Amino acid sequence: MRFLVLIGGAVAGVFVLAAILLTVMVDPNKYKDDVSRLVREQTGRELVFEGDVKLTFFPRLGVETGGVRLSNPPEFGDKPFSRVRKANVSIKLLPLLSRRVEVGKVALEGLELYLEKNEAGRGSWADFTDGEPAENATQKPASSGWGLGDLSLDGVRVTDSSLQWEDHLLGERYVLTDLNLEVKAIRQGKPSEFKASFLLDSAKPQLKAQTDISGVATLYAADERHIFSDLKLKVAATGKSVPGGKGDFEFGLSELKVDNAKQTAQATGLSFSGYGAKGTGQFLATNIKDGPDLKGRLDVPDFNGRELSAALTGKAPDTADAAAYQHITASCEFRTGKGYTEIPQLTASLDDARVEGRFRVTGLEKKAYNFNLRISGLDADRFLPARKSGEAQEKAGEAAVGGAGNDPHKDDVFPVKALREMKLDGQITAERFKIKGLRFTTLKLPMMAQDGVLDVGQVEAKLYDGSLKGSLRVDVQGERPAVTLSYQLVNVQQKPFFSDLAGKESQFAGTMTVDTVSPLVCQGNTMHALKRSLSGRVRFSVRDGVFPGVNIMGVVRDSGKKAKDALSGAGTESSPEKSTRFGSVDGTAAINGGVAAINDLDFKAPFLRADGRGTVDIATKQTDYTLHVRVVPSTEGQGGSSGLLGLVVPMRITGPYDNLSFGTDYLRTIGKGALDAVGGVVQGIGNVLTGGKKSQHQGGTPEKNSGNLLDGVKKLF
């Protein structure tokens, strides 16, 4: 802004100088060449009069010119620096006797001003502003009786004009056309109204903007301070660089105080609006010449985020909840300057959720981020894209595969380039937080990143009557990202946990504890690569639960019946119940190359004990597991022994782990059960196996021989 004032002053000075010189001559047109020579000697530029010059004398000394053109410095080519089609300026004569300069109304018609910066960063106006300050510049010079404080101006009127700005170093070009400016009478310390309008056209960035500015200026030139009030700016913009392709914006200031001596600018009553959102605020700028450093406050009252998104993108956001983003508010304090931006206090609401915290970013090239956010009552799933049907997901997957060649990083899990450049230190804490279906009562998520290593943890959370502790490290320094994960999930209720995770009611039940005995490690930047390279050891246990999909006691019973019926030729019926209640499940998953081997499974349920061996391929979900189920006597639980005590039933579990299949070989069941039966381990098992001993019923009546199971096995073989 300051350089425009200087340029305007220089141009006006040229015209005023020409006017003064011409007034002392009978025919000023005879001396146009002399004036041009004087300007060339003083500035090195060419001043060309393209039209006649007319003078007025009393009560004002005035000059009116036709076309006048001022050249650029030699290094900026033949394009003129400025040109005016018609100019009129006058000076009152009588006030000059009192050493006061009172200028009449300055009128410029068809003004064209070209401002350029070359590849070296030097401006075409630099020769007007260059100059070394005096050694005692800090001391106020003695008054000579003349100065800007003595200047008054009846007004300025600029019509049908244009201004062009071009920066060859940055490749930027802006053009202002249809420029009209009107300033009322300017008197030191007195308010002066002004208004301006123009059309801004830019190719980079690509936009057009009709702009209107108005306000009141009060100048105190002697003190180098000025007050602007009732400032209003309206912009109607279109173009590819405008979000949504078009937008109407309004900005206002109740008062702006500028003090050049102190290098400060203070604004109150800030208001702004655009795309249906409005806000208010205030700010203070210091070090405005070399900075500036800015601090202030912004308040954005309730607005509809869906309407804002529609204005910006042409459509409402794709959210699982069509009512999401309807109420948004924000208030913040801010500080910003060269190399830093800080929000020391932020308060915002997103529908029913509330966010508080602070944020700071420092650095020019390599930025460092520091933050602390506190969230409460946020259901993030409401704001995520709506879930697609199975068919839609399949088509989306096919489209992604088909277009993968266009974007080799489309499926990347981690933003490698950003992580290598990022320095991060922050923490997110939340209460009543939901994400991907999972509900957290509390959540603490600290994170740090530096030199290509991101550390998340120690994570702490309360969820589903249990707790979670864990940590995650992502190292992207090498060719492939390396991930290390450790966690401990304690006493989590399985039924609500898996129900929320799957988005439908789960039949699993029990209290689950999972712990990484050794950290899980993997490498890669796609989910498939990470799963395929996964290694580590995980210990798990579930207490007092329900395993859905199979009635293990029913399978054992049916297996025994089928074996018996195979010998007798009779039929059998399967158990209708499709779940198994159990007391405990314990085991360890040894994961190598994305395949989990579980060879120490210990299963305990009413009338049942089991151990198992097998594998689960985490990448493909395929399960190949054999569970050896043994029937034991018990007075609690479901079902009954059915005379199968001691038998071992090998149950085969196959298929994807989210849709398992169960099967047995009933002939092997009888053979295996007979061979694995151990007499005397449980009271009564020996009687069942041998049939040779008697047991006492109530009242002491001997029990009849139920038959020798070994005899049946012998017949089988």
Side-chain angles (χ1 to χ4, degrees):
M1 190 63 155
R2 184 170 178 267
F3 75 84
L4 288 176
V5 174
L6 292 173
I7 292 169
V11 174
V14 171
F15 290 127
V16 171
L17 174 63
I20 294 174
L21 292 175
L22 291 175
T23 55
V24 298
M25 303 173 184
V26 176
D27 184 0
N29 291 289
K30 293 182 179 180
Y31 298 94
K32 290 190 291 188
D33 291 341
D34 294 331
V35 174
S36 297
R37 177 177 52 79
L38 179 62
V39 171
R40 182 170 58 251
E41 292 174 353
Q42 295 296 321
T43 68
R45 298 171 182 249
E46 295 291 338
L47 179 66
V48 179
F49 293 88
E50 298 176 336
D52 291 336
V53 179
K54 298 179 181 180
L55 299 179
T56 59
F57 295 95
F58 193 84
R60 298 184 180 185
L61 179 65
V63 58
E64 180 180 327
T65 72
V68 179
R69 184 178 75 249
L70 181 66
S71 71
N72 258 317
E75 64 266 32
F76 288 92
D78 297 332
K79 184 186 296 184
F81 174 77
S82 66
R83 173 186 284 142
V84 65
R85 187 165 61 245
K86 185 177 180 181
N88 191 322
V89 62
S90 63
I91 300 177
K92 295 180 181 180
L93 294 176
L94 294 180
L96 293 175
L97 301 177
S98 302
R99 294 181 175 272
R100 298 196 319 273
V101 179
E102 295 186 10
V103 182
K105 195 165 190 176
V106 177
L108 300 176
E109 179 182 323
L111 172 65
E112 299 175 9
L113 185 61
Y114 300 90
L115 306 177
E116 291 183 78
K117 266 190 177 182
N118 59 23
E119 289 80 357
R122 180 175 173 80
S124 58
W125 62 89
D127 53 334
F128 289 137
T129 58
D130 286 349
E132 294 295 329
E135 293 183 3
N136 297 324
T138 56
Q139 299 179 7
K140 189 172 181 178
S143 174
S144 62
W146 296 84
L148 289 177
D150 303 303
L151 175 67
S152 69
L153 182 65
D154 284 350
V156 177
R157 183 179 180 86
V158 179
T159 58
D160 193 23
S161 298
S162 64
L163 185 151
Q164 178 175 306
W165 162 271
E166 189 166 7
D167 190 328
H168 297 282
L169 180 64
L170 300 178
E172 296 177 342
R173 183 174 181 270
Y174 298 91
V175 178
L176 273 64
T177 57
D178 297 331
L179 172 61
N180 293 281
L181 168 66
E182 184 170 359
V183 182
K184 299 296 184 181
I186 299 175
R187 302 287 186 270
Q188 296 302 310
K190 301 294 184 181
S192 174
E193 296 182 9
F194 65 89
K195 62 180 180 179
S197 64
F198 55 85
L199 176 64
L200 171 64
D201 193 350
S202 169
K204 182 183 178 183
Q206 188 178 25
L207 65 87
K208 288 186 177 181
Q210 178 60 49
T211 306
D212 295 277
I213 305 172
S214 63
V216 178
T218 304
L219 307 181
Y220 299 89
D223 298 329
E224 295 188 83
R225 61 184 180 89
H226 314 287
I227 299 175
F228 301 89
S229 57
D230 198 23
L231 289 175
K232 295 179 181 178
L233 169 65
K234 294 183 178 181
V235 179
T238 60
K240 291 183 178 180
S241 298
V242 181
K246 64 178 181 178
D248 295 327
F249 311 93
E250 293 188 13
F251 301 89
L253 284 175
S254 297
E255 186 176 70
L256 173 64
K257 296 180 179 179
V258 180
D259 191 325
N260 288 328
K262 296 181 179 179
Q263 291 294 298
T264 62
Q266 183 174 8
T268 57
L270 169 67
S271 63
F272 55 90
S273 65
Y275 300 113
K278 298 180 179 180
T280 59
Q282 59 189 36
F283 67 83
L284 171 64
T286 57
N287 193 31
I288 59 177
K289 180 179 179 180
D290 300 322
D293 294 308
L294 197 66
K295 67 177 182 179
R297 180 180 179 85
L298 296 176
D299 296 285
V300 180
D302 184 88
F303 69 92
N304 191 314
R306 300 188 73 82
E307 294 179 358
L308 175 62
S309 175
L312 292 172
T313 65
K315 61 180 180 180
D318 177 19
T319 56
D321 185 352
Y325 290 114
Q326 289 198 8
H327 298 281
I328 302 174
T329 65
S331 297
C332 71
E333 296 179 359
F334 67 89
R335 302 187 187 110
T336 185
K338 188 175 182 179
Y340 76 96
T341 297
E342 182 179 11
I343 300 177
Q345 182 177 347
L346 167 69
T347 302
S349 65
L350 183 60
D351 293 339
D352 296 329
R354 185 176 177 85
V355 180
E356 297 179 341
R358 59 175 178 79
F359 174 83
R360 180 178 175 86
V361 56
T362 56
L364 295 175
E365 296 182 359
K366 192 172 184 179
K367 298 185 181 299
Y369 303 89
N370 182 280
F371 63 91
N372 191 323
L373 295 178
R374 300 176 298 279
I375 305 171
S376 61
L378 176 62
D379 181 355
D381 291 342
R382 294 182 59 226
F383 306 94
L384 296 177
R387 289 190 177 185
K388 299 179 181 178
S389 64
E391 181 179 353
Q393 287 180 339
E394 184 177 347
K395 289 182 179 180
E398 292 174 355
V401 172
N406 299 328
D407 185 1
H409 301 291
K410 180 178 178 61
D411 297 325
D412 285 1
V413 177
F414 307 110
V416 173
K417 186 175 184 297
L419 285 176
R420 288 174 177 172
E421 298 174 353
M422 181 186 299
K423 186 175 182 181
L424 183 71
D425 183 6
Q427 177 172 286
I428 299 175
T429 57
E431 296 179 353
R432 306 187 313 281
F433 178 62
K434 180 185 175 187
I435 180 70
K436 293 295 184 180
L438 295 180
R439 302 172 187 270
F440 295 86
T441 306
T442 62
L443 173 65
K444 184 176 76 172
L445 195 69
M447 57 188 70
M448 294 184 65
Q450 187 172 1
D451 300 328
V453 178
L454 170 66
D455 283 303
V456 181
Q458 176 81 351
V459 177
E460 296 181 4
K462 299 291 184 182
L463 68 168
Y464 303 99
D465 296 333
S467 63
L468 167 68
K469 292 184 179 180
S471 63
L472 171 71
R473 165 169 284 205
V474 181
D475 188 339
V476 298
Q477 298 177 102
E479 184 177 348
R480 295 193 304 166
V483 182
T484 304
L485 172 65
S486 297
Y487 67 94
Q488 185 181 43
L489 200 62
V490 179
N491 294 334
V492 169
Q493 296 302 311
Q494 281 196 132
K495 186 175 182 62
F497 178 83
F498 287 120
S499 295
D500 286 348
L501 192 61
K504 59 182 180 180
E505 186 175 2
S506 173
Q507 300 305 313
F508 283 96
T511 303
M512 173 176 58
T513 297
V514 184
D515 186 13
T516 49
V517 180
S518 62
L520 299 176
V521 296
C522 52
Q523 290 186 329
N525 205 16
T526 64
M527 287 306 301
H528 180 77
L530 292 170
K531 289 179 179 179
R532 181 51 65 206
S533 62
L534 186 64
S535 297
R537 291 176 64 85
V538 179
R539 181 173 52 229
F540 60 89
S541 68
V542 183
R543 297 289 182 267
D544 301 324
V546 175
F547 186 82
V550 62
N551 182 346
I552 297 179
M553 175 58 77
V555 171
V556 172
R557 186 182 296 114
D558 293 345
S559 184
K561 288 181 180 180
K562 288 180 180 179
K564 181 179 179 181
D565 293 340
L567 298 178
S568 63
T572 186
E573 295 182 1
S574 299
S575 173
E577 190 173 354
K578 293 297 183 182
S579 63
T580 301
R581 293 185 177 276
F582 59 87
S584 66
V585 174
D586 295 273
T588 304
I591 307 171
N592 187 20
V595 178
I598 307 173
N599 296 325
D600 63 347
L601 187 72
D602 183 18
F603 176 89
K604 296 178 181 178
F607 296 113
L608 297 174
R609 299 293 184 268
D611 58 69
R613 296 179 63 87
T615 60
V616 178
D617 191 319
I618 297 173
T620 64
K621 298 186 179 182
Q622 290 303 310
T623 303
D624 184 5
Y625 206 80
T626 300
L627 191 66
H628 296 103
V629 184
R630 186 173 72 256
V631 181
V632 298
S634 175
T635 58
E636 298 179 358
Q638 62 182 33
S641 66
S642 301
L644 298 175
L645 296 178
L647 293 183
V648 175
V649 178
M651 179 183 296
R652 186 77 182 279
I653 305 173
T654 58
Y657 54 69
D658 51 3
N659 187 21
L660 294 172
S661 297
F662 305 90
T664 62
D665 187 335
Y666 58 84
L667 293 179
R668 290 180 60 199
T669 296
I670 292 296
K672 183 69 173 174
L675 295 175
D676 287 356
V678 181
V681 176
V682 179
Q683 183 177 2
I685 291 182
N687 297 336
V688 176
L689 291 175
T690 63
K693 291 186 179 181
K694 297 180 180 179
S695 59
Q696 299 294 322
H697 284 281
Q698 186 176 2
T701 305
E703 183 182 344
K704 293 183 180 180
N705 194 326
S706 61
N708 192 336
L709 184 58
L710 290 181
D711 290 339
V713 176
K714 292 177 181 178
K715 292 178 182 179
L716 180 63
F717 291 98

